[in-house]
Amino acid sequence: MANTRSTGAGYIKLAGSAKSAPEGTRTDTLSADEVAEVTVRVRGNKSLRSRSKTGKRLSRDEFEKEYGASAKDLAAIEQFAHEHHLSIVESSSARRSVILRGRVKDLEEAFIVNLSHYRDAGGSVFRCRTGEISIPKSLEKIIEGVFGLDNRPLTRPMFQVATHNGMFIDHAASPRSFSPNTLAGIYGFPKSATGKGECIGIIELGGGYRTNDIKAYFKSLNIPVPSMKAVSVDGGINSPSTADSADGEVMLDIEVAGAISPGAAIVVYFAPNSDKGFLDAITTAVHDTKNKPSVISISWGSAESRWTAQSLKTFNDAFNAAATIGVTVCAAAGDQGSSDSETDGKVHADFPSSSPFVLACGGTKLTVQGTTIQSEVVWHESSDSATGGGVSDVFPLPDYQKKAGVPPSASSGFKGRGLPDVAGDADPQTGYNVLVDGQQLVIGGTSAVAPLMAALIARVNQAKGKPVGFIHPALYANPKLCRDITQGDNITTSTKKGYKAGPGWDPCTGWGVLSGL
């Protein structure tokens, strides 16, 4: 579509909203009457950045009252929507979000953008915009971000399936792989807890699970089937298809978390793979007053350079909110080494794991004899099969890392947040036995480490009788909570850029393997 109106009197550019054209071919298939939804992110009553470092943990209700959006600001967005023939789908003070629905031509007029369809190399068609979003100057201090005008895929799942000669390997043919509960025992996770009374939230941006597979898998491990629930966000649904799809990610996350913490309830938040879908899934999970997850696992991400500034800030604020109410967020650090799948010859940190409020999870290669660890090194089989990690080019070095010896970014020299924080088995050749769409698979990737850590946190939460929440200060104050991994690197072969492991914290495996708190 073409919006001929330029930014005029009364309108300003929304800072940090600029997007470039995507890879793919522009088409003329977008109708002016196509209906779409956008999420308008609204400022809070107070900024979390002004919160005292010693501020007490808040309940979800307390957070909404103190840091949620005001009724006046929400009403201003709703009035703006009505003026542009947009309807209100949802308005949430806690999530600081107003979801609007309307025709493409009305959205173009409201935000002064040009929307078009693009087709990628795989034939998928998505809606895109280039340049910046514009908003009324009267809303300048109220609107922090607008998401959903562009719904191009933003992230990828961080899992890798073990293969031999191009064929999937089943459990029997993989003597070096593990069932998740066996690995928990090898790592020395606390045995006195099962996660009972806790809820593990899992974010999924595609794929699905089959109930029959869940039942069969846990029966094979002689473990009770965990309580399961799917929550639809922005129309995302549990939609299983084939074993070589995102189903592998979904089943890996559920089966790892459930096998290690079978007493915990598992709630899977399904959303579209877009900036709006991802953001809405996160804020829905964090502020879910019904299911109340105490830990959230995220195995999807992409290089920081692929995100807009408004996305990085808004997502980071959402993770800050999680920390404030005592929800631990675990995220995969990436599976393509220091490049994070980018081809510009630079090193890249993966987001959302680069957020200073997220427990970033790196990967190792684990070798055991029976149940005794023989060796554990940085996972690095090739440039396309290696742990992510590095230093953020966006988020400054947080206080808790000031004494960790984080180097400057190898890309920009920026003194940023280092990742990962912790690590665990991720090499697909020493991966996890899972069941996906009726097929036995062995899957690795740092996407396995995120639910591994989430399940550990659920056990710890039960044992302590309260959520441990934002664990970073405690972790960095007591590195002996982890078993150090000192050998290996995530250097990309083609560029010879990246990071090496060593004693103490490093940008490959963080402090190492965490087994308790």
mmCIF file of all heavy atoms in Angstrom, residues 9 20 54 82 177 207 213 255 285 304 319 380 419 432 442 460 497 500:
data_model
loop_
_atom_site.group_PDB
_atom_site.id
_atom_site.type_symbol
_atom_site.label_atom_id
_atom_site.label_comp_id
_atom_site.label_asym_id
_atom_site.label_seq_id
_atom_site.Cartn_x
_atom_site.Cartn_y
_atom_site.Cartn_z
ATOM 1 N N ALA A 9 2.269 18.670 10.514
ATOM 2 C CA ALA A 9 2.142 19.341 11.798
ATOM 3 C C ALA A 9 1.418 18.441 12.777
ATOM 4 O O ALA A 9 0.436 17.782 12.446
ATOM 5 C CB ALA A 9 1.374 20.651 11.614
ATOM 6 N N SER A 20 14.636 -1.411 8.028
ATOM 7 C CA SER A 20 15.064 -1.467 6.640
ATOM 8 C C SER A 20 14.248 -2.520 5.904
ATOM 9 O O SER A 20 13.528 -3.317 6.518
ATOM 10 C CB SER A 20 16.555 -1.800 6.552
ATOM 11 O OG SER A 20 16.826 -3.023 7.217
ATOM 12 N N THR A 54 17.913 -1.777 46.102
ATOM 13 C CA THR A 54 17.528 -2.588 47.256
ATOM 14 C C THR A 54 16.015 -2.666 47.400
ATOM 15 O O THR A 54 15.507 -3.099 48.425
ATOM 16 C CB THR A 54 18.136 -2.000 48.543
ATOM 17 O OG1 THR A 54 17.662 -0.655 48.702
ATOM 18 C CG2 THR A 54 19.655 -2.002 48.472
ATOM 19 N N HIS A 82 -9.845 5.568 18.234
ATOM 20 C CA HIS A 82 -11.197 5.872 17.747
ATOM 21 C C HIS A 82 -11.159 6.928 16.646
ATOM 22 O O HIS A 82 -11.922 6.859 15.677
ATOM 23 C CB HIS A 82 -12.081 6.332 18.898
ATOM 24 C CG HIS A 82 -12.361 5.266 19.919
ATOM 25 N ND1 HIS A 82 -12.673 3.965 19.579
ATOM 26 C CD2 HIS A 82 -12.371 5.315 21.277
ATOM 27 C CE1 HIS A 82 -12.865 3.256 20.673
ATOM 28 N NE2 HIS A 82 -12.686 4.045 21.721
ATOM 29 N N SER A 177 23.845 -39.788 24.239
ATOM 30 C CA SER A 177 22.783 -38.838 24.559
ATOM 31 C C SER A 177 22.167 -39.163 25.913
ATOM 32 O O SER A 177 22.432 -40.219 26.502
ATOM 33 C CB SER A 177 21.720 -38.848 23.469
ATOM 34 O OG SER A 177 21.129 -40.131 23.346
ATOM 35 N N GLY A 207 5.202 -24.045 15.825
ATOM 36 C CA GLY A 207 5.179 -25.456 16.191
ATOM 37 C C GLY A 207 4.073 -25.807 17.167
ATOM 38 O O GLY A 207 3.153 -25.022 17.425
ATOM 39 N N ASP A 213 2.024 -37.885 22.331
ATOM 40 C CA ASP A 213 3.484 -37.935 22.454
ATOM 41 C C ASP A 213 3.925 -37.614 23.878
ATOM 42 O O ASP A 213 4.842 -38.248 24.419
ATOM 43 C CB ASP A 213 4.130 -36.927 21.497
ATOM 44 C CG ASP A 213 4.188 -37.423 20.066
ATOM 45 O OD1 ASP A 213 3.973 -38.624 19.848
ATOM 46 O OD2 ASP A 213 4.447 -36.603 19.165
ATOM 47 N N GLU A 255 9.558 -31.441 27.212
ATOM 48 C CA GLU A 255 10.041 -32.716 27.750
ATOM 49 C C GLU A 255 11.235 -32.545 28.671
ATOM 50 O O GLU A 255 11.358 -33.254 29.671
ATOM 51 C CB GLU A 255 10.332 -33.672 26.585
ATOM 52 C CG GLU A 255 9.033 -34.104 25.898
ATOM 53 C CD GLU A 255 9.212 -34.869 24.611
ATOM 54 O OE1 GLU A 255 10.355 -34.980 24.114
ATOM 55 O OE2 GLU A 255 8.196 -35.374 24.088
ATOM 56 N N ALA A 285 2.972 -13.747 29.764
ATOM 57 C CA ALA A 285 3.503 -14.721 30.720
ATOM 58 C C ALA A 285 3.944 -14.049 32.017
ATOM 59 O O ALA A 285 3.629 -14.521 33.119
ATOM 60 C CB ALA A 285 4.673 -15.482 30.088
ATOM 61 N N GLU A 304 21.454 -9.148 18.004
ATOM 62 C CA GLU A 304 20.995 -7.814 18.414
ATOM 63 C C GLU A 304 20.816 -6.884 17.215
ATOM 64 O O GLU A 304 19.908 -6.036 17.205
ATOM 65 C CB GLU A 304 22.015 -7.186 19.373
ATOM 66 C CG GLU A 304 22.056 -7.794 20.752
ATOM 67 C CD GLU A 304 23.110 -7.158 21.631
ATOM 68 O OE1 GLU A 304 24.133 -6.674 21.092
ATOM 69 O OE2 GLU A 304 22.932 -7.140 22.865
ATOM 70 N N PHE A 319 11.590 -7.594 30.693
ATOM 71 C CA PHE A 319 12.390 -8.506 31.513
ATOM 72 C C PHE A 319 12.735 -7.876 32.864
ATOM 73 O O PHE A 319 12.832 -8.581 33.879
ATOM 74 C CB PHE A 319 13.667 -8.902 30.765
ATOM 75 C CG PHE A 319 13.419 -9.675 29.501
ATOM 76 C CD1 PHE A 319 14.040 -9.325 28.315
ATOM 77 C CD2 PHE A 319 12.539 -10.747 29.486
ATOM 78 C CE1 PHE A 319 13.810 -10.031 27.149
ATOM 79 C CE2 PHE A 319 12.294 -11.469 28.327
ATOM 80 C CZ PHE A 319 12.936 -11.104 27.146
ATOM 81 N N HIS A 380 31.509 -26.749 20.461
ATOM 82 C CA HIS A 380 31.965 -26.132 19.214
ATOM 83 C C HIS A 380 32.361 -27.245 18.249
ATOM 84 O O HIS A 380 33.500 -27.707 18.247
ATOM 85 C CB HIS A 380 33.144 -25.200 19.463
ATOM 86 C CG HIS A 380 33.524 -24.391 18.259
ATOM 87 N ND1 HIS A 380 34.415 -23.347 18.309
ATOM 88 C CD2 HIS A 380 33.131 -24.472 16.960
ATOM 89 C CE1 HIS A 380 34.545 -22.824 17.101
ATOM 90 N NE2 HIS A 380 33.780 -23.505 16.268
ATOM 91 N N LEU A 419 27.735 -12.368 28.034
ATOM 92 C CA LEU A 419 26.889 -13.549 28.077
ATOM 93 C C LEU A 419 27.653 -14.727 27.495
ATOM 94 O O LEU A 419 28.584 -14.536 26.713
ATOM 95 C CB LEU A 419 25.573 -13.313 27.314
ATOM 96 C CG LEU A 419 25.636 -13.047 25.804
ATOM 97 C CD1 LEU A 419 24.407 -13.596 25.105
ATOM 98 C CD2 LEU A 419 25.761 -11.556 25.500
ATOM 99 N N TYR A 432 19.757 -34.592 23.966
ATOM 100 C CA TYR A 432 18.648 -35.011 24.805
ATOM 101 C C TYR A 432 17.719 -35.923 24.021
ATOM 102 O O TYR A 432 17.325 -35.611 22.887
ATOM 103 C CB TYR A 432 17.866 -33.783 25.285
ATOM 104 C CG TYR A 432 18.687 -32.806 26.089
ATOM 105 C CD1 TYR A 432 19.701 -32.051 25.494
ATOM 106 C CD2 TYR A 432 18.456 -32.626 27.450
ATOM 107 C CE1 TYR A 432 20.456 -31.148 26.227
ATOM 108 C CE2 TYR A 432 19.205 -31.714 28.188
ATOM 109 C CZ TYR A 432 20.204 -30.988 27.570
ATOM 110 O OH TYR A 432 20.956 -30.093 28.308
ATOM 111 N N VAL A 442 17.217 -37.139 18.883
ATOM 112 C CA VAL A 442 18.188 -36.603 19.831
ATOM 113 C C VAL A 442 18.430 -35.153 19.428
ATOM 114 O O VAL A 442 18.820 -34.870 18.297
ATOM 115 C CB VAL A 442 19.503 -37.394 19.800
ATOM 116 C CG1 VAL A 442 20.525 -36.756 20.746
ATOM 117 C CG2 VAL A 442 19.263 -38.848 20.187
ATOM 118 N N VAL A 460 14.494 -25.411 42.780
ATOM 119 C CA VAL A 460 15.052 -24.561 43.835
ATOM 120 C C VAL A 460 13.956 -23.721 44.478
ATOM 121 O O VAL A 460 13.906 -23.556 45.700
ATOM 122 C CB VAL A 460 16.173 -23.668 43.266
ATOM 123 C CG1 VAL A 460 16.614 -22.639 44.298
ATOM 124 C CG2 VAL A 460 17.358 -24.508 42.810
ATOM 125 N N LYS A 497 37.120 -14.763 14.494
ATOM 126 C CA LYS A 497 36.703 -13.846 15.552
ATOM 127 C C LYS A 497 35.794 -14.582 16.532
ATOM 128 O O LYS A 497 34.991 -15.429 16.130
ATOM 129 C CB LYS A 497 35.965 -12.652 14.959
ATOM 130 C CG LYS A 497 36.834 -11.742 14.104
ATOM 131 C CD LYS A 497 36.035 -10.579 13.553
ATOM 132 C CE LYS A 497 36.908 -9.673 12.683
ATOM 133 N NZ LYS A 497 36.126 -8.550 12.115
ATOM 134 N N LYS A 500 37.288 -17.140 23.800
ATOM 135 C CA LYS A 500 37.825 -18.379 24.344
ATOM 136 C C LYS A 500 37.376 -18.571 25.789
ATOM 137 O O LYS A 500 37.159 -17.609 26.510
ATOM 138 C CB LYS A 500 39.358 -18.378 24.293
ATOM 139 C CG LYS A 500 39.940 -18.408 22.892
ATOM 140 C CD LYS A 500 41.460 -18.473 22.942
ATOM 141 C CE LYS A 500 42.050 -18.534 21.539
ATOM 142 N NZ LYS A 500 43.545 -18.608 21.593
#
